[in-house]
Structures are given as C-alpha cells and as structure tokens.
Amino acid sequence: MTARIIDGNALSSEVRGQLAERAAALIAKGVTPCLAVILVGEDPASAVYVRNKVAACEKAGMRSLKDVYAPDVDPAVVFKRIAELNADPTVHGILVQLPLPKHFDAEAVLEAIAPEKDVDGFHAENVGALMQGNPRFIPCTPYGVMKMLESAKVPLKGAEVVIVGRSNIVGKPMAMLLLAQSCTVTICHSQSKDLAFHTRRADILVAAVGRAKMITGDMIKPGATVIDVGINRIADGPNAGKLCGDVDFETAKEVAGAITPVPGGVGPMTITMLLANTLEAAERTAK
Ligand code: GUN
C-alpha cells in the first residue's frame, strides 16, 4: 500500500487565503499587519528563507521590512535596530533569521525582541508560556505540523509520538504541543541508543534532524503518520542540488499510512504560520 500524501502546498493555499481575508479586514480598520525580518550574513539558505517570508507577506496583503547586515556587523548595530522595531507601533512581528554568525550571542538577540512581537515564539517568556500550556506565539514549524495533523484528521489522544531531533526551533516545542494534545511523546536525538527501536513504535513519527534520508522504511511502523521536517540539499549524484527530507520518501511511502513530502510538505506551512502569528500580533494591537 502506498501512503496518503499530506499536501502542505494545498493546505497552505487554503490557510493563506483565510489569512489574506483577515488581513484585509484589519487593514479596513486602519491597521496593516507588518513583519520585520533581520538577516545577518550571507548564508544562501537563510537568504532564500528570508526572501520567501517577505514575498509571502506581500502576497497576503501584509507589509514587511527587511534589514540585511554584513556577516561581520557589530552586534550593537543589530540590537539598536531591534530596539527601534520594538518601539515602532506600525511593526507587529520581528524575526531574526537563525543561525547568526558566531560572534553573536543568539540567545541575547532573541531576548532583545519584545515578547509581544516575537512571532517566532523563541523568546524565553514565550517558550515558558508554551511549556505551561498557555502559548502566546507557537513556533511556526511545529505550529504548521499541528495544522497538518489536524487537516489530515490524524488521531492524537493517546497516540505514541516519536520526535527525532531536540532543537529549540522544532523538536522541543513540537513535543510540548503534542503532549498538550495527550500524546505519549518520546524525543530521540544523536545520542539515542537503537533509534529504530523507538521509531518503529511510533503512530506519529516526526523527523527533524537535518540529515538527508536518515529515516528509512524499515524504521517505520506500518500505517504510521510520518512528518518530515528536514530540508536538505542533495550534494552529489544524479539528483545533486535537489531538495530532500530527513525521511527516505521512496521506502517510507510503502510502509507509512500518511506522509508529508519534501518539498511541498512542512516547508510551506512554516511560512504560513509565520503569517498567522504576525496577523495575530497585529489583531491583538487593534483590540
Ligand atoms: N532558521 C531556521 N528555522 C528558523 C525559524 O523558524 N525562524 C528563524 N528566525 N530562523 C530559522
């Protein structure tokens, strides 16, 4: 049997359509939702992500600001810009693209963003709120995954979930969100013993490690839902330059019940939920 495909592009267009309507209603009240994006350095992948985020804002009728700094910029310049954006009432969301160059204290940068404008949900105050089950902003990638599970009507209560990856951006917040839906959650990582032992028990398997095709069909429980958060570029061979996930799609789709593809799965949903958080931030200021 071949797995059902959970189509992130289709769900994204549907949700973005709804967001554009909400944005238009807010604009009619005199508030134009605005996202400010800061990019430091010349990492090509980060540049593409930022370009896509800005383009998605414009398409949904929202405003965006983009500040790009040289890789060797003095962090004080970036802190000053964040302070300006914090104080600007026409800016509703602020996002600093990660990773930052090594001479930056990334944690201090995230803490400098006003929590009510932290649409990534990375500020310690917002991380704490999520952990307490009372989120202000849900980090965009895990938020997108939750929307995909909901739209695919995947049962969550009591489900065995295995998350591979323990990052602050995906693995940890993903665990909190699924726990809040009464899943039994296991987080695996690079030091986990016998990874396949864990993954084979999962009703829902979330792969977020950043290693191309590391989850193969033999590591998946028949009928499981497989969510592939990875975005890796194939280095060589006939498919060099193409994108692939952390899951080996060809073998996984023969075992899984439902699966997200790469590209066209979680990726578009991440940007969609960034728009949702920005709009939400703007709506809160208009209340
Ligand atoms: N780098 C990779 N993913 C993300 C994300 O969701 N937000 C930010 N700010 N940087 C990232």
Side-chain angles (χ1 to χ4, degrees):
M1 199 189 74
T2 307
R4 178 161 62 100
I5 304 295
I6 306 177
D7 183 343
N9 282 327
L11 182 58
S12 256
S13 327
E14 187 188 324
V15 176
R16 286 190 205 193
Q18 295 160 359
L19 295 175
E21 280 179 26
R22 270 169 61 193
L26 198 59
I27 292 165
K29 286 198 214 165
V31 178
T32 302
C34 176
L35 173 69
V37 182
I38 292 177
L39 172 63
V40 184
E42 289 157 351
D43 175 52
S46 290
V48 172
Y49 293 142
V50 165
R51 198 182 327 129
N52 290 343
K53 288 171 185 179
V54 167
C57 276
E58 310 290 330
K59 208 161 166 225
M62 302 186 196
R63 233 179 106 224
S64 64
L65 303 173
K66 179 170 130 180
D67 290 289
V68 181
Y69 297 98
D72 60 352
V73 68
D74 180 347
V77 174
V78 175
F79 280 106
K80 183 166 171 282
R81 181 61 179 146
I82 292 173
E84 278 169 14
L85 294 167
N86 283 343
D88 183 344
T90 69
V91 171
H92 306 99
I94 303 171
L95 177 154
V96 177
Q97 186 66 27
L98 301 175
L100 284 163
K102 289 209 167 24
H103 67 289
F104 272 80
D105 177 349
E107 206 177 302
V109 171
L110 297 177
E111 298 311 299
I113 298 171
E116 66 276 11
K117 296 190 180 187
D118 168 38
V119 285
D120 259 330
F122 294 165
H123 189 289
E125 192 176 309
N126 291 330
V127 173
L130 174 67
M131 192 145 186
Q132 289 179 322
N134 187 24
R136 183 196 262 136
F137 292 112
I138 299 173
C140 306
T141 300
Y143 196 2
V145 171
M146 294 307 286
K147 286 278 171 201
M148 294 178 97
L149 293 171
E150 186 189 322
S151 86
K153 299 191 165 58
V154 177
L156 297 182
K157 201 186 286 184
E160 286 288 342
V161 173
V162 174
I163 299 167
V164 189
R166 55 176 157 178
S167 70
N168 289 338
I169 296 181
V170 183
K172 289 183 208 168
M174 190 79 257
M176 287 304 128
L177 292 169
L178 289 162
L179 191 59
Q181 296 304 316
S182 303
C183 298
T184 303
V185 181
T186 302
I187 306 179
C188 295
H189 46 78
S190 55
Q191 305 303 310
S192 296
K193 288 180 194 153
D194 197 354
L195 179 63
F197 163 79
H198 295 286
T199 59
R200 279 193 206 111
R201 293 174 32 251
D203 300 315
I204 301 170
L205 178 59
V206 180
V209 263
R211 276 185 52 196
K213 302 189 185 189
M214 75 164 289
I215 305 289
T216 45
D218 58 312
M219 298 168 75
I220 296 168
K221 177 175 170 176
T225 299
V226 177
I227 305 289
D228 190 353
V229 179
I231 302 179
N232 310 288
R233 213 164 270 285
I234 300 171
D236 40 34
N239 292 319
K242 284 197 180 161
L243 293 182
C244 77
D246 291 349
V247 176
D248 178 32
F249 187 80
E250 290 309 315
T251 56
K253 78 177 192 320
E254 299 305 323
V255 187
I259 188 166
T260 65
V262 177
V266 175
M269 285 305 291
T270 293
I271 298 190
T272 299
M273 302 329 288
L274 173 65
L275 299 178
N277 281 347
T278 304
L279 180 59
E280 177 74 32
E283 285 173 343
R284 286 175 194 160
T285 67
K287 272 187 185 142

